[in-house]
Amino acid sequence: MNPSTAGSLAEPDYLNHETTVRSWLLTRDHKRIGVMFLVLVLFALLLGGVFAMLLRIELLTPGPTIMGPMTYNRVFTLHGVTMVWLFMIPAIPSAFGNFVLPLMLGAKEVAFPRLNLASVYIYAAGAALTLFGMVWSGADTGWTFYTPYSTTSPTAVTPILLGVFIIGFSTIITGLNFITTTHTLRAPGMHWSRIPLFVWAIYGTSVIQVVATPVLAMVLVLVALERVAGVGIFDPSRGGDPVLFQHMFWFYSHPAVYIMVLPAMGVITEVVCAFSRKNIFGYRMIAASTFGIAFVGFFSWGHHMFVSGQSTFGSGIFGVLSMLVAIFTAIKIFNWVATMYGGAIDLKVPLLYVLGFIFLLTFGGMTGVAVATTSLDVHWHDTYFIVAHFHYIMVGSVLMAFLAALHYWWPKMFGRLFPERWAFVAACTIIFGFIVTFLPQFLLGNMGMPRRYYQYPSEMQWLNVLSTAGASLLAFGFGLIGIYLLWSLRYGKESPANPWGSRGYEWFSASPPGPHNFREPPRFEREVHDYTVSEAPHVY
Amino acid sequence: MNEFFRQVLFLPEQASTFARDVDHLHYVILSTAMFMATLIFGVAGLFLIRYRRRSESQATRRVQTSLFWEVLFVGSPLSVFLAWFFIGYHDFVWMQTPPPEAMDVYVVAKQWMWKFTYPEGPNSIGVLRVPVGRPVRLLLTSRDVIHSFYVPAFRVKQDALPGAYTQTWFEVTRPGRYRVMCAEYCGLKHSEMWAEVVALSPEDYAAWLREQSGGPVALRDATPGAPEREEPLVPARLAMEYSAEAPHGELMTAERGTLAERGERVAAEKGCLRCHTVDGTQHIGPTWWGLYRREERLEGGGTVVADEAYLTESMMKPQEKQVEGYAPVMPSYQGQLEAAEVAALIEYIRTLRGARRDGIGTGGPVYEPIDGR
Ligand code: HEM
Ligand SMILES: [Cu+2]
């Protein structure tokens, strides 16, 4: 064990300095809040995963398999709602952002610790209301809630809308907190050009969250009002405009995909540097492209509506702007690969997930370029091609980055090492399973299988069976991860302060960090991920 | 080559004039994309091996970019993406612009069936008959929620919105039966909302049309062996047995007269003609004579072309685009007119032009090209 960590062993850490239930529930410690979020989003992931398996099993045969059409329609809605709003949007910012962002800035806390605690409870309340809606009768609108179907559906759409609405506040609060923290609580020596890129990513995400989430809140309330009070905003039979909803919805939800993906990109940047032992290639380009995506992302929502009857000219503009988003993503991909150039690469589990991420993002991004090509999208819109596209890019990247982060920061969070070998097997299973699940869906889309189909023409069966097989592999991989991570909490080897030899600023604290993060105020004298020197960082 | 790629990518047959062009771009983009993805991934793999870690304390040198590489790496993919976009957009504009000589069919979507109405009179559920080699423009609307009309073999898709008309078009290149599906989630039986396009040779189509017009009020669909059920089309209840060959057409009803004649009846029944005239005289409302495709000056400035969308809007929200010089007295017909009635009214208004002021009902529908020439 290296000498700098020896001193920290006896000291209390944030996990054991107080252990009562009350001390957890009322904590204002960003690390504990991060852990609470981690538990909650993992639960959401599990729930969404169970729904996903049900869907895939149903699609094993062209006709009915294990459930009726009404149940199927509810299950895909619940799958989408849970995964998008309860897992992917909060996962990385709320769990890992909360945990490591202050550490990376050398801060003791986030700017507003009480609000931070509130955001956990707001999230939990929103999630509970959503779950209540699911149990009560379950919406059957899809996670996109398109009107006028959602305003006329007899199912419990309203509680789910309000649940998502409430979760939105949690997102906004977390975003505000991160923005303020980044501005005001940086340790001495950290000027803007030294801020870790994960922080830049979270910062850019927070800006989108604060700007866009109110639009979603508004549109959800309008739908709820239309359902409850019969206000005619979207329903044409009451004088409303059904396409208006789509504009408002996608004005939020298109940037929302970047709310999910940008933090993932931040994680990847950290992990690539740590395991390649290299400074990041093109720091400025990566930071700038984060804001490029955040900005242009607001002006490409219309690419979801090429066949909705919007003007041909409008479609053209939205198409071109989508290409600009693609180029910002391409910049990042080039930079990650270039970072590996001249490095000292150690293919550990987190880096394996990074490779999975790069593969899925490149593939998914390229299919994004293909669907932004207006004439092709006419055939693909609302088919399984789109399902495959957004699973590759959105789920693939969020999931890969989430798992990379989970493994990379696990020793930081809990002071334990996980069994490397098992983790390696699980990672391979997951990446392979993911590809087997979604690759056939591109082909199904080409054949013309529309999304949200409970039944399909029989010639499409074998691709569906393949996809279900992949999904089973995925589920198996997750089970494995669950088992060895829980095992490691108790029986895992104790971790040194910096098991990966990373130069990231968060490793300047002990692992797990003490209740106030640092024993003395840290000074960040060199750039983040500077590997030109060989000694590991000093632990403050 | 085309056939090879089509099969590798699992694309359906190419049965419309767009299909080939769209597919060609598809091949180019996907193969370039896959090539690039492989390349990037290959380079990453190469670095992985070439730069593997040799000792625990290994230090690395800083690497920084020069502007040249940055510009090259950003500029070249961007120009490729934009080139693809413009080729695609060129095709898209073509796909969005029905040619003037296209024949029209009204399509009404409804949970969970497709209904097709021809200006010449016949209408059918679940089967759209069209002639090969002639552009067909579809005017789509919905009676309830949003549906989407999708024919994979034509590479055509268009949402059908309640309370509004949207349009799309295609030209079939060879006779056959092609599957129509609903692509926008619309409730319980979304995945069963199928229909088919039957493309006939021009002679067969003409013969079929002749047979339908002047027929009795309800005619059994001419499809041999069409099922005898009265309820809307539900082919996918038997999804396992679905095949594009097996006919699954439904009742074909030819209401008395052409669509325009029905429109005239609706106009009288609903009281439209109390305020609008059909012979050019101005009354409480603007005359319908020559209204279709006319440029109307609006109260409060601006003009609007009276196309299907505007006509529909004027029935539903008359005050929204008030024609100059008229009092805002027209009531909204929101919820009072069925989608089929709106179609009939529009068809009627479209016939009110040209030289024959009394032509309706005697000589059949006056077909007008859509560009108003
Ligand atoms: C950063 C990553 C991206 C994410 C997370 C993402 C996510 C998504 C999602 C969730 C959808 C489907 C939404 C739905 O229909 O329910 C979608 C559709 C679409 N994406 Fe992406 N996307 C990304 C990148 C791109 C890029 C780079 C482009 C274009 C260059 C693109 C173009 C499109 C288009 C055109 C559609 C609409 C297709 C349709 O519905 O017909 N996407 N994307
Ligand atoms: Cu439908």
Side-chain angles (χ1 to χ4, degrees):
Chain A
M1 196 163 290
N2 87 42
S4 57
T5 55
S8 68
L9 270 185
E11 286 178 34
D13 59 48
Y14 80 102
L15 289 167
N16 64 15
H17 76 113
E18 278 180 309
T19 49
T20 59
V21 173
R22 195 186 141 84
S23 74
W24 272 88
L25 292 183
L26 296 182
T27 183
R28 271 165 279 149
D29 182 346
H30 68 96
K31 300 182 288 304
R32 287 193 167 194
I33 289 173
V35 171
M36 282 157 82
F37 263 121
L38 183 63
V39 172
L40 290 172
V41 299
L42 280 172
F43 180 70
L45 176 64
L46 177 69
L47 197 67
V50 170
F51 287 133
M53 274 323 287
L54 290 177
L55 294 176
R56 279 318 322 168
I57 294 171
E58 170 54 43
L59 293 177
L60 267 176
T61 65
T65 311
I66 52 166
M67 57 178 99
M70 196 59 198
T71 318
Y72 182 82
N73 295 344
R74 287 178 176 159
V75 172
F76 77 65
T77 304
L78 302 184
H79 166 70
V81 169
T82 317
M83 283 300 202
V84 171
W85 270 297
L86 273 55
F87 175 69
M88 286 198 290
I89 289 181
I92 296 179
S94 296
F96 296 112
N98 257 321
F99 198 99
V100 298
L101 183 126
L103 292 175
M104 283 183 166
L105 293 174
K108 274 195 193 143
E109 247 313 329
V110 290
F112 309 114
R114 283 190 189 78
L115 266 185
N116 206 15
L117 179 64
S119 80
V120 181
Y121 287 104
I122 295 173
Y123 169 85
L129 188 54
T130 309
L131 287 176
F132 163 75
M134 295 180 186
V135 177
W136 188 28
S137 99
D140 68 334
T141 58
W143 71 275
T144 48
F145 304 122
Y146 269 24
T147 55
Y149 188 73
S150 61
T151 55
T152 49
S153 164
T155 52
V157 182
T158 314
I160 295 188
L161 289 174
L162 294 181
V164 172
F165 175 74
I166 292 172
I167 292 175
F169 283 100
S170 165
T171 322
I172 294 177
I173 293 178
T174 307
L176 278 175
N177 222 334
F178 288 157
I179 292 176
T180 320
T181 310
T182 312
H183 275 275
T184 57
L185 297 181
R186 281 170 290 135
M190 180 179 290
H191 24 86
W192 288 97
S193 63
R194 282 196 183 161
I195 293 182
L197 284 163
F198 179 69
V199 176
W200 272 127
I202 295 280
Y203 183 91
T205 310
S206 302
V207 173
I208 311 182
Q209 283 174 334
V210 171
V211 176
T213 313
V215 180
L216 176 78
M218 195 162 75
V219 65
L220 293 178
V221 168
L222 290 179
V223 174
L225 265 182
E226 181 152 331
R227 286 184 64 85
V228 176
V231 185
I233 296 162
F234 303 123
D235 184 352
S237 67
R238 301 193 197 115
D241 178 358
V243 183
L244 178 65
F245 173 86
Q246 297 180 20
H247 282 291
M248 292 173 73
F249 178 82
W250 287 117
F251 183 79
Y252 167 78
S253 292
H254 191 74
V257 303
Y258 304 110
I259 294 181
M260 305 173 212
V261 173
L262 285 179
M265 292 172 160
V267 170
I268 296 306
T269 311
E270 293 295 325
V271 175
V272 164
C273 290
F275 290 89
S276 308
R277 282 232 166 134
K278 263 292 299 300
N279 71 311
I280 185 70
F281 182 88
Y283 176 93
R284 274 159 203 278
M285 286 293 262
I286 292 195
S289 63
T290 299
F291 289 89
I293 291 179
F295 185 73
V296 184
F298 274 109
F299 302 98
S300 53
W301 79 88
H303 70 212
H304 298 275
M305 299 167 64
F306 289 153
V307 304
S308 70
Q310 84 183 352
S311 77
T312 310
F313 180 72
S315 297
I317 298 292
F318 286 124
V320 169
L321 290 171
S322 307
M323 294 299 180
L324 293 186
V325 184
I327 205 68
F328 288 123
T329 312
I331 293 176
K332 291 193 183 247
I333 293 178
F334 290 146
N335 279 319
W336 291 318
V337 174
T339 299
M340 295 165 72
Y341 172 81
I345 305 170
D346 193 8
L347 186 57
K348 287 246 170 59
V349 176
L351 191 64
L352 195 58
Y353 283 114
V354 170
L355 293 182
F357 175 96
I358 292 181
F359 179 78
L360 296 178
L361 190 78
T362 313
F363 216 84
M366 287 305 229
T367 54
V369 171
V371 282
T373 307
T374 40
S375 65
L376 300 185
D377 185 58
V378 172
H379 179 58
W380 283 327
H381 175 72
D382 269 339
T383 65
Y384 264 77
F385 192 94
I386 300 300
V387 176
H389 156 72
F390 74 74
H391 276 90
Y392 256 67
I393 201 150
M394 185 161 94
V395 185
S397 57
V398 175
L399 212 55
M400 291 297 136
F402 181 80
L403 292 172
L406 194 63
H407 287 87
Y408 178 51
W409 284 316
W410 188 258
K412 170 106 281 175
M413 295 177 94
F414 301 107
R416 301 280 178 166
L417 292 174
F418 50 85
E420 183 79 24
R421 227 167 255 240
W422 284 106
F424 211 87
V425 172
C428 292
T429 315
I430 285 190
I431 295 170
F432 182 68
F434 200 93
I435 293 171
V436 178
T437 309
F438 295 105
L439 202 62
Q441 296 188 2
F442 283 115
L443 302 175
L444 281 171
N446 277 352
M447 285 173 94
M449 177 169 167
R451 68 197 284 201
R452 299 174 175 167
Y453 257 34
Y454 165 73
Q455 304 180 64
Y456 52 84
S458 47
E459 75 266 20
M460 296 173 182
Q461 184 173 10
W462 72 271
L463 285 170
N464 274 296
V465 171
L466 196 60
S467 179
T468 303
S472 320
L473 268 180
L474 257 179
F476 176 75
F478 276 110
L480 211 55
I481 293 184
I483 292 170
Y484 71 70
L485 282 187
L486 286 178
W487 178 89
S488 83
L489 276 184
R490 211 178 162 133
Y491 306 104
K493 254 201 310 196
E494 285 209 22
S495 160
N498 188 357
W500 319 118
S502 168
R503 303 288 191 279
Y505 290 156
E506 74 276 25
W507 299 99
F508 282 64
S509 60
S511 302
H516 298 292
N517 295 354
F518 303 98
R519 272 166 286 150
E520 48 187 297
R523 297 191 61 80
F524 297 138
E525 263 130 23
R526 53 171 123 82
E527 283 180 25
V528 66
H529 289 295
D530 179 358
Y531 293 91
T532 52
V533 286
S534 56
E535 91 277 11
H538 171 68
V539 173
Y540 288 92
Chain B
M1 218 35 189
N2 176 42
E3 200 47 27
F4 169 76
F5 272 114
R6 191 182 71 74
Q7 295 201 351
V8 169
L9 293 171
F10 288 69
L11 284 162
E13 59 193 311
Q14 299 158 333
S16 76
T17 45
F18 317 127
R20 269 180 88 87
D21 291 35
V22 169
D23 284 3
H24 284 289
L25 188 59
H26 186 155
Y27 307 150
V28 172
I29 294 188
L30 280 193
S31 41
T32 322
M34 294 315 116
F35 175 74
M36 287 307 300
T38 319
L39 196 72
I40 291 171
F41 207 68
V43 171
L46 210 69
F47 287 170
L48 209 63
I49 298 165
R50 168 70 184 75
Y51 299 110
R52 65 186 176 281
R53 192 171 296 181
R54 289 157 212 268
S55 83
E56 270 318 300
S57 56
Q58 195 179 343
T60 57
R61 72 201 156 81
R62 284 179 61 84
V63 176
Q64 253 155 350
T65 34
S66 72
L67 189 64
F68 171 78
W69 288 105
E70 279 181 21
V71 171
L72 185 74
F73 269 68
V74 176
S76 48
L78 184 60
S79 34
V80 172
F81 292 172
L82 289 179
W84 287 344
F85 173 80
F86 283 107
I87 300 169
Y89 190 60
H90 177 264
D91 288 348
F92 183 69
V93 171
W94 174 33
M95 296 164 79
Q96 294 281 91
T97 319
E101 71 277 15
M103 64 173 255
D104 286 355
V105 180
Y106 288 90
V107 182
V108 177
K110 156 178 188 315
Q111 284 168 330
W112 289 277
M113 56 187 257
W114 296 99
K115 184 171 167 187
F116 305 99
T117 309
Y118 301 78
E120 291 87 349
N123 58 73
S124 79
I125 288 170
V127 184
L128 169 62
R129 279 187 176 66
V130 297
V132 166
R134 178 161 173 210
V136 179
R137 179 171 73 142
L138 302 180
L139 288 155
L140 302 121
T141 190
S142 160
R143 279 186 42 179
D144 34 50
V145 300
I146 300 178
H147 301 270
S148 191
F149 183 88
Y150 177 32
V151 190
F154 300 169
R155 313 290 188 269
V156 158
K157 185 181 289 126
Q158 179 64 51
D159 285 1
L161 308 172
Y165 270 95
T166 53
Q167 61 170 18
T168 186
W169 76 284
F170 56 80
E171 181 181 328
V172 191
T173 50
R174 55 168 181 266
R177 296 162 169 278
Y178 306 99
R179 185 187 291 143
V180 177
M181 298 195 261
C182 177
E184 182 64 63
Y185 178 69
C186 57
L188 186 65
K189 293 187 188 165
H190 165 56
S191 64
E192 298 181 27
M193 190 166 154
W194 291 355
E196 65 181 343
V197 177
V198 178
L200 303 167
S201 66
E203 305 79 59
D204 289 353
Y205 179 75
W208 171 78
L209 207 56
R210 225 175 306 117
E211 197 181 308
Q212 297 303 315
S213 55
V217 172
L219 243 184
R220 179 74 38 200
D221 186 337
T223 312
E228 300 273 312
R229 275 178 273 120
E230 279 280 341
E231 59 187 294
L233 174 76
V234 275
R237 180 167 313 140
L238 316 164
M240 283 149 291
E241 293 124 51
Y242 180 89
S243 87
E245 275 72 54
H248 55 282
E250 270 290 320
L251 255 189
M252 162 74 74
T253 51
E255 282 177 35
R256 215 175 288 283
T258 66
L259 190 57
E261 287 164 344
R262 259 178 284 151
E264 189 174 13
R265 274 204 301 280
V266 173
E269 277 164 23
K270 300 282 175 180
C272 317
L273 300 180
R274 281 205 298 269
C275 297
H276 297 277
T277 68
V278 296
D279 58 2
T281 28
Q282 301 300 344
H283 196 39
I284 299 169
T287 181
W288 285 358
W289 177 257
L291 170 60
Y292 181 64
R293 286 261 141 197
R294 185 162 72 203
E295 202 168 69
E296 294 279 36
R297 296 160 70 70
L298 296 180
E299 201 70 62
T303 59
V304 63
V305 174
D307 55 6
E308 289 81 2
Y310 171 75
L311 294 177
T312 319
E313 187 184 356
S314 299
M315 296 174 212
M316 304 310 164
K317 298 176 196 159
Q319 261 68 291
E320 198 95 327
K321 299 213 176 87
Q322 185 72 34
V323 180
E324 197 173 69
Y326 291 92
V329 292
M330 174 164 163
S332 164
Y333 282 85
Q334 189 84 275
Q336 320 232 359
L337 290 171
E338 298 216 340
E341 292 175 327
V342 177
L345 281 170
I346 292 179
E347 192 59 32
Y348 175 51
I349 292 172
R350 293 187 349 162
T351 58
L352 290 169
R353 51 182 302 148
R356 286 173 303 158
R357 293 202 165 197
D358 53 357
I360 308 309
T362 52
V366 178
Y367 181 75
E368 289 297 334
I370 46 181
D371 71 343
R373 267 186 283 129

